[in-house]
Amino acid sequence: MGIEKQGLKYWKESIRRAKMRLLDAWLYKMTTKKSNKKDQAASDLENGFYGDRVRLLRKTKGKTLTQLANETNLSSGYISQIERGLAFPSVAALVSIAKVLGVNAQHFFADAPEVDETEIDYVVRSDKRLEIKYENGVLDQLLTPKSNKNLQLIRCKFPPGGGSDTYTHKGHEVLLVEQGSMEFWVDGRHFVLNAGDTLSFESNKPHRYINNGDSVAIVYWFITPASF
């Protein structure tokens, strides 16, 4: 009888230790996974673009790379590079991808760090702006809460040579050049704007722009409704 009790006790202890090993392994896996996610999130935020958001949304919509490429007139190789974080998209490319996938470009802005719950939907702190980087070093920062569907205010930074190919979207926009100079083409018309100048046009008119100057240009973009 004593031997049987000892055997039962040993068996229970073995099970307990096995469960502890499994629990330790699970905790290690989850801790590592969370750490990797944080590292990846920090990297994505630093890069200012979430390529995996394009991939996830594309797959959610049931589209292959080839289908998305055909519908956006972009190469599948280029889109694949964007999804894998090997290339930044151009402004026009991202707008085209967003249209086909049923969202606007704002969907792809990198998430900012956690904000004060009392300020959500009201305040955007200067150090917690959502942002996205494009090719040629162009940087957009969203100055209005992402939840605002009526108005967008975006601060755009254009290094020399930075700009966009022609694109369109819904809405109306007004822009203010705060620093430097920019060239704009709107519906076939050409404008050169310097610091303090503004430009207003309907967003469904084909438009493109470039910084042909020797210094960085800063432009504030007001768009209504929030259609970019």
Side-chain angles (χ1 to χ4, degrees):
M1 189 70 176
I3 296 177
E4 291 179 356
K5 286 185 177 180
Q6 287 181 354
L8 181 61
K9 183 178 181 181
Y10 177 81
W11 179 72
K12 289 182 177 179
E13 180 64 19
S14 298
I15 292 178
R16 187 187 70 81
R17 289 181 178 180
K19 287 182 177 179
M20 290 301 296
R21 285 196 297 270
L22 288 173
L23 179 60
D24 288 342
W26 180 81
L27 289 173
Y28 175 80
K29 181 179 179 180
M30 294 304 296
T31 301
T32 303
K33 187 175 181 181
K34 287 182 179 179
S35 177
N36 290 339
K37 281 187 175 181
K38 287 182 179 178
D39 292 342
Q40 183 63 43
S43 175
D44 287 337
L45 186 57
E46 181 180 353
N47 290 337
F49 182 71
Y50 276 178
D52 58 350
R53 289 190 176 183
V54 175
R55 184 191 302 110
L56 177 61
L57 188 58
R58 172 178 63 78
K59 291 185 175 181
T60 300
K61 298 291 184 177
K63 294 184 181 294
T64 65
L65 270 174
T66 301
Q67 289 174 324
L68 183 58
N70 290 337
E71 294 179 47
T72 57
N73 292 319
L74 302 170
S75 72
S76 56
Y78 177 53
I79 295 176
S80 176
Q81 286 187 316
I82 290 173
E83 289 188 348
R84 291 181 291 147
L86 300 178
F88 289 117
S90 68
V91 177
L94 189 62
V95 169
S96 182
I97 291 172
K99 281 183 179 179
V100 171
L101 296 180
V103 297
N104 55 34
Q106 177 177 276
H107 176 85
F108 301 109
F109 275 82
D111 286 333
E114 292 184 3
V115 299
D116 188 327
E117 291 186 0
T118 63
E119 297 181 349
I120 294 176
D121 297 335
Y122 289 91
V123 179
V124 177
R125 298 293 179 182
S126 62
D127 62 339
K128 295 183 179 180
R129 296 170 178 169
L130 303 184
E131 63 180 35
I132 187 168
K133 287 182 181 177
Y134 303 96
E135 65 180 12
N136 299 323
V138 176
L139 174 68
D140 279 359
Q141 291 183 319
L142 187 63
L143 306 188
T144 44
K146 200 171 183 179
S147 59
N148 190 333
K149 305 303 181 184
N150 297 314
L151 174 69
Q152 282 175 313
L153 173 56
I154 301 174
R155 181 181 186 271
C156 309
K157 181 179 180 181
F158 298 94
S164 173
D165 293 330
T166 302
Y167 67 96
T168 63
H169 56 95
K170 297 179 180 179
H172 194 102
E173 49 199 279
V174 178
L175 56 93
L176 166 67
V177 178
E178 180 193 43
Q179 173 184 316
S181 63
M182 292 285 295
E183 289 191 58
F184 293 87
W185 288 263
V186 180
D187 201 23
R189 297 186 179 186
H190 177 231
F191 307 96
V192 178
L193 272 63
N194 300 306
D197 294 339
T198 59
L199 176 65
S200 175
F201 57 91
E202 294 178 359
S203 307
N204 61 1
K205 292 182 177 179
H207 52 284
R208 63 185 177 93
Y209 40 84
I210 190 171
N211 176 5
N212 276 326
D214 298 323
S215 59
V216 171
I218 304 295
V219 180
Y220 285 88
W221 230 283
F222 303 80
I223 305 171
T224 182
S227 55
F228 179 79

